[in-house]
């Protein structure tokens, strides 16, 4: 069994959908040269469940909007002096800016420089977002 | 019409039913006596920014402004604009807003009008943004429906042809969904069905519903309005797809024989071959009258956005 120590101060992203951990790490832009980071893949969770976990030492902030979009089933634990001081449950964000890009080749975002890529949640059940500009529906 | 002063029109849903009713009332007054309005916009300048070729929409806007006594500046293709030099939409609009009182903009990219509106400090009218929306065509369609049918509610509206890239279709649905008891009959080949966002639009309406079918003849008898569209060559990346799909829905006298006596046929024009010329003499074919209404409703829109009584 692989043993990863608990962290004294920092953030633990727990219950990441199994197989999704590396993507979350990359997309959140967590600086692995600055912080000590542990990515635990396919860890046991409950009796039959599996999950990924990311531990970031000495970090106080992550982009919860982006994380909510990437994996809203995950939970975020804030650790201080080895103790969980705050537990954050994620949900799909209503509005996301510059996290995903519109896939419609006819969308103005494909040609206009320096404009934010903005999406609005259409339906949390279907996990679909609508592009602010062209209305293209994207399933995340 | 003070409610619309300084506003933009990016999609038909930008205006409430009451605001639209006021606009159509004004368009009716203009249509009855256009000469009474020929000095209303003296000293005002409309800028027509057409990054994509257009004949009737641009001419309709220009005719509308000239008939109001105003003046027009602009360009009619991207090649004669600073877009060729790589200027962004934002910068072009920001600059032109310094020269004009109101802007009508057409651009091939979807959502371009929203970018323009963000950067304009004068009212901006979307004159077509790719396959997305074409709200002044919709105002034209709605004014024609109201003048011909006497109402905008309790209607079964058939839409045929290119429902995927047909921005006039998307805009008409977006506008008509707010009226009670509207049923849309969507007739298209599988490859040209309406995008999902349009279906969401219908579902968010005032009890509006839709059915999809490939059988145009079978659907004709229940329609109050038939909205024909052209399969647009310029929306296809692949010429073969265009050739395969362009002749799938053609309205002729035989199909018209299945329709109600008081049904009306609309078309945003230009027509290629999707309506046989023989249909033109049918009194239910109102697409040329529709074009004239387009100018009147644009006159009403310009006056309203400029806050001119």
């Amino acid at each position: 069994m692989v043993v990863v120590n608990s962290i004294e101060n920092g953030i633990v992203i727990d219950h990441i959908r199994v197989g999704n951990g590396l993507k979350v790490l990359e997309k959140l832009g967590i600086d692995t040269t600055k912080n000590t980071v542990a990515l635990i893949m396919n860890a046991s969770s409950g009796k039959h469940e599996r999950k990924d976990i990311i531990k970031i030492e000495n970090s106080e902030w992550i982009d919860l909007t982006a994380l909510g979009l990437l994996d809203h089933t995950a939970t975020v634990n804030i650790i201080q002096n080895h103790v969980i001081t705050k537990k954050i449950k994620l949900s799909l964000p209503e509005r996301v800016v510059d996290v995903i890009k519109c896939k419609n080749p006819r969308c103005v975002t494909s040609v206009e420089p320096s404009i934010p890529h903005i999406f609005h949640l259409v339906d949390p059940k279907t996990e679909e977002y609508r592009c602010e500009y062209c209305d293209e529906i994207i399933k995340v | 019409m003070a409610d619309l002063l300084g506003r933009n029109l990016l999609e038909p849903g930008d205006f409430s039913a009451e605001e639209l009713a006021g606009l159509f009332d004004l368009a009716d007054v203009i249509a009855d006596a256009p000469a009474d309005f020929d000095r209303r916009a003296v000293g005002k300048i409309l800028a027509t920014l057409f990054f994509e070729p257009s004949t009737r929409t641009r001419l309709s806007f220009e005719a509308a402004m000239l008939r109001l006594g105003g003046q027009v500046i602009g360009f009619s293709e991207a090649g004669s604009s600073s877009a060729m030099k790589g200027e962004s939409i934002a910068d072009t609009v920001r600059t032109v807003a310094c020269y004009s009182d109101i802007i009508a903009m057409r651009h091939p990219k979807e959502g371009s009008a929203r970018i323009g509106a963000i950067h304009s400090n004068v009212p901006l009218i979307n004159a077509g943004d790719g396959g997305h929306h074409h709200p002044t065509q919709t105002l034209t369609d709605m004014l024609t429906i109201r003048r011909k049918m006497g109402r905008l509610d309790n209607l079964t509206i058939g839409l045929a042809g290119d429902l995927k890239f047909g921005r006039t279709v998307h805009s008409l649905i977006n506008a008509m969904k707010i009226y009670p008891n509207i049923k849309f009959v969507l007739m298209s080949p599988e490859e040209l069905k309406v995008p999902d966002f349009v279906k969401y639009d219908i579902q968010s309406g005032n009890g509006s519903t839709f059915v999809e079918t490939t059988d145009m003849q079978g659907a004709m008898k229940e329609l109050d309005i038939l909205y024909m569209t052209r399969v647009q060559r310029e929306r296809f990346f692949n010429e073969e797809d265009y050739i395969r799909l362009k002749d799938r829905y053609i309205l002729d006298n035989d199909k018209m024989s299945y329709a109600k006596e008081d049904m009306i046929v609309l078309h945003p024009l230009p027509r290629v071959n999707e309506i046989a010329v023989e249909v033109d003499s049918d009194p239910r074919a109102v697409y040329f009258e529709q074009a004239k209404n387009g100018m009147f409703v644009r006159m009403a829109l310009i006056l309203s956005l400029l806050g001119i009584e």
Side-chain angles (χ1 to χ4, degrees), chain B residues 53-239:
Chain B
S54 155
T55 305
R56 70 200 65 241
T57 303
R58 185 172 58 82
L59 292 182
S60 178
F61 267 110
E62 293 184 2
M65 192 55 166
L66 294 172
R67 283 183 181 275
L68 291 168
Q71 291 172 294
V72 181
I73 58 171
F75 53 84
S76 56
E77 54 177 309
S80 58
S81 79
S82 51
M84 275 296 278
K85 299 174 189 166
E87 188 178 45
S88 65
I89 297 168
D91 284 1
T92 303
V93 169
R94 207 179 271 154
T95 307
V96 172
C98 298
Y99 311 144
S100 57
D101 301 288
I102 186 165
I103 293 172
M105 183 178 115
R106 169 171 288 191
H107 194 284
K109 288 295 179 183
E110 299 175 8
S112 50
R114 188 165 299 281
I115 300 291
I118 290 168
H119 295 93
S120 176
N121 58 7
V122 299
L124 186 139
I125 303 167
N126 179 8
D129 58 343
H132 191 219
H133 280 300
H134 190 356
T136 58
Q137 180 61 51
T138 304
L139 298 182
T140 303
D141 303 336
M142 295 172 77
L143 178 65
T144 306
I145 293 169
R146 202 177 87 143
R147 286 170 74 85
K148 285 289 175 190
M149 309 297 287
R151 66 183 193 279
L152 288 169
D153 54 8
N154 296 299
L155 292 166
T156 298
I157 304 173
L159 301 113
D162 175 5
L163 308 187
K164 181 178 181 183
F165 299 118
R167 58 191 168 198
T168 59
V169 167
H170 306 164
S171 287
L172 185 61
I173 289 172
N174 180 257
M176 293 300 295
K177 68 171 188 183
I178 64 173
Y179 299 97
N181 199 22
I182 300 292
K183 180 180 177 183
F184 297 101
V185 181
L186 309 173
M187 300 171 277
S188 69
E190 194 64 31
E191 298 89 336
L192 295 176
K193 286 167 76 170
V194 292
D196 286 345
F197 82 84
V198 177
K199 292 179 188 171
Y200 280 118
D201 234 11
I202 297 173
Q203 287 159 355
S204 69
N206 191 358
S208 48
T209 57
F210 72 93
V211 290
E212 291 184 292
T213 179
T214 53
D215 177 16
M216 185 176 177
Q217 188 168 305
M220 288 293 281
K221 61 181 182 299
E222 68 166 318
L223 304 181
D224 298 308
I225 293 154
L226 173 59
Y227 195 87
M228 291 296 298
T229 64
R230 171 175 65 100
V231 175
Q232 302 167 88
R233 182 192 294 261
E234 62 271 29
R235 302 287 168 230
F236 285 85
F237 290 124
N238 181 340
E239 179 77 5

Side-chain angles (χ1 to χ4, degrees), chain A residues 105-115, chain B residues 88-89 107 109 112:
Chain A
R106 292 173 295 276
C107 180
V108 69
T109 54
S110 67
V111 294
E112 183 76 355
S114 310
I115 54 169
Chain B
S88 65
I89 297 168
H107 194 284
K109 288 295 179 183
S112 50

Side-chain angles (χ1 to χ4, degrees), chain A residues 95-107:
Chain A
R95 183 173 184 268
V96 289
V97 181
D98 287 337
V99 180
I100 45 176
K101 290 195 169 185
C102 189
K103 292 173 183 164
N104 175 6
R106 292 173 295 276
C107 180

Side-chain angles (χ1 to χ4, degrees), chain A residues 60-110:
Chain A
E60 293 171 350
W61 182 88
I62 54 163
D63 186 343
L64 292 173
T65 302
L67 182 57
L69 188 74
L70 291 165
D71 192 341
H72 66 281
T73 61
T75 54
V76 176
N77 298 324
I78 310 294
I79 314 289
Q80 286 176 340
N81 297 320
H82 294 286
V83 177
I84 297 174
T85 56
K86 194 174 179 187
K87 211 173 180 76
I88 302 167
K89 280 217 157 209
L90 297 168
S91 59
L92 283 170
E94 288 293 326
R95 183 173 184 268
V96 289
V97 181
D98 287 337
V99 180
I100 45 176
K101 290 195 169 185
C102 189
K103 292 173 183 164
N104 175 6
R106 292 173 295 276
C107 180
V108 69
T109 54
S110 67

